[in-house]
Amino acid sequence: MKNLLTLIAAMVLLFQPKAQAQEADSIPKHVKWEFKAEKKGEKEFVLHFTAKIDAGWKLFSAAMGNDDPNTRIVFDSLSDTRAKITALAEAAAPKTAKEPLLDDMEIKYHENGAEVLATVQFSDSVKDLRGTVTYFILKGEEVLPEEALFTFSADASGNLTGEQGGLKVNADAAAGLKRPAIDLNNPVMKVGGIGTEGQTNPWFIFLLGFLGGLVALVTPCVFPMIPLTVSFFTKSSQDKKKGIFNATMYGFFIFLIYVLFSVPFHVAGLAEPEIFNNISTNVWLNVIFFTIFLVFALSFFGLFDITLPSGLASKADSKANKGTLVGIFFMALTLVVVSFSCTGPILGSLLAGSLNSDGGAWLLTAGMAGFGVSLALPFALFAMFPNWLSSLPKSGGWLTSVKVVLGFVELALAVKFLSNADLVTHWGILHRETFFLIWIIIGILTTLYLFGLIRFPHDSPVKKLGPVRIIFGLLFGLFTLYLLPGVTNTKYARLKLMSGFAPPMSYSWYGNTAHERGSVEPDVINDYEKALQLAKAQNKPILIDFTGWACVNCRNMEENVWTDPEVHDLIKKNYLLVSLYTDDRKKLPEDQQFKYVSPEGKSKNIVTIGDKFATMQTVNFINQSQPLYALITPDEQLLTFPVAYEPNIQKYADWLKAGLEGWEKVKKK
């Protein structure tokens, strides 16, 4: 399946919300587009999309199928309600050829130039249209997805004019994002500040990666390879020292390969610092992660095997000249490729969990490093101490049991990704109690499986439960019991261990009832301008809470710090709380959408509520992580330095008190 990666790229591109697509003018594109409209009737137009294609590149035709690389015209959601594409054609017939890169698929393509004609019918009066041309291009062994934003502007006579770009620069709206009164360097009280305590510890992620590698070691794809590989190095080398050196280098190259996987994310982070927050909160990426993890779970259950293209393993193995360091490197690469069906889901968990706005690619590097160390360490250790090999348990049915249990874990993680998408879009399909109910069912099934009460067709008969299996069965059973109060409407529903992982307490079957007693959440305001007006009317300072629906640390603060009696009273009685969700995908009214251009010249489309508040946070507080808290006066004077995630209740309370002290100083002036 040489076209596997291409089709995955197509999924990501085609399912991206097009109105949120960010223009990357600094990235050269291989196709340049021009847009014009031809009026055919009172409410009917033919839109002309004319492409100029760089030499050597092939543009996939609009006549290609939906599941293949193609060219498509996609309106944003608002434009899609105004006009429908009734026909899509091309001015010139495309060329056809079999493409070896895509398993000899017959492709239709254009070279040098092309023109796509879209016939559109307006449902009502002729109004502006915005959207994206999504397309794939090919050259040699490269298949790339690209896109181009367009706008067709309507005039008073009902004519359309096409132009590049999706949104217009709005200086007034952009000025509203930058609050000149907020002076980050000169707060009233020199208290607070954003330190490393607000960020995820890379060593913690390294440890999680290390544990993930240990789990990968006892999977059927990796465990049997340990004695075989170590024996090969120790027996085929000229002497023991050479064998130990080769096995150690083999382990080092495994570690290096996994670390190298994180390098592209460092490059992407330099190009667009907000990319990690977008990855962790993007609706369709979370849906794709949900689908992938669901597929991984079914694979672990034995329904099918997931492998990378066989040609990749064959190429790596063919270059594994065992006598050289280069050959040892390709041996390590071969192991990484052939073990993907077992390690892929664990690596996917690291990818999805590490790429957040707190640490970005460095957290992923830390996780990959931990994974690589634990996976590589046995090969070096057993080469140094070959007698240890005899202490390893024999491969057998227990490896299959490990895969099945991992399948249940992957199923639970899949629900988390669907929950992220549900929260930022407010679909209402995975309330807190629904989330817990699904996890409880998964926990019960896992417990029953570990105790041998349910089996899969490929399982070996469980003649006797071993101590390890009994221990894990008890752990899963106890954790499932712990989750049970989560579906109730009682004070016990606040499960501290699940804070930040499950949906917030307010996203509930029961609404803001017993869950929210003692909470400040019912008094939250989500409109910054309204908060300023109310603060002036009530003569109160403002607590700005930059948060996110899918933000784990935000939920930890709200459920474990804000509910403390002292903190609760400090906020409720003395501050006006405004929570600004940086990942909210609800669209702004059309007249409030615009293109923001930073002082550095980078452009960004402000389309959703999250776009607005994420940019506002970055522009005023030079910070992109959530949560972020700031205390200001009704006139936007900064009372203290902002703080980030602060689980220490007393420190957070002291910071709130310092803000009140600063407020008293301001009032006396």
Side-chain angles (χ1 to χ4, degrees), residues 561 564 566-568 570 575 631 646 648-660:
V561 177
D564 175 78
E566 183 181 16
V567 173
H568 167 267
L570 282 169
Y575 288 97
L631 304 175
E646 179 51 81
N648 186 302
I649 293 174
Q650 192 55 55
K651 286 184 179 180
Y652 193 77
D654 290 342
W655 176 73
L656 292 171
K657 292 174 184 176
L660 294 177

Side-chain angles (χ1 to χ4, degrees), residues 476-551:
F476 273 95
L478 290 173
F479 182 68
T480 303
L481 290 175
Y482 173 78
L483 297 178
L484 288 176
V487 300
T488 66
N489 186 19
T490 67
K491 62 181 181 180
Y492 303 108
R494 192 181 295 277
L495 304 177
K496 191 170 184 178
L497 289 179
M498 296 298 293
S499 292
F501 205 83
M505 303 284 290
S506 57
Y507 199 62
S508 166
W509 289 347
Y510 310 108
N512 294 332
T513 56
H515 285 339
E516 297 305 323
R517 289 170 192 161
S519 172
V520 297
E521 291 183 20
D523 295 332
V524 168
I525 298 166
N526 303 117
D527 186 318
Y528 183 73
E529 297 297 340
K530 180 181 178 181
L532 289 178
Q533 295 173 7
L534 290 174
K536 290 176 182 177
Q538 299 176 18
N539 197 30
K540 275 186 174 183
I542 299 173
L543 167 57
I544 304 176
D545 165 34
F546 286 104
T547 184
W549 285 107
C551 170

Side-chain angles (χ1 to χ4, degrees), residues 221 296 299-300 305-307 337-345 403:
C221 312
F296 277 142
S299 172
F300 275 168
D305 286 327
I306 299 175
T307 59
V337 173
V338 299
S339 64
F340 177 78
S341 62
C342 292
T343 60
K403 282 191 71 173

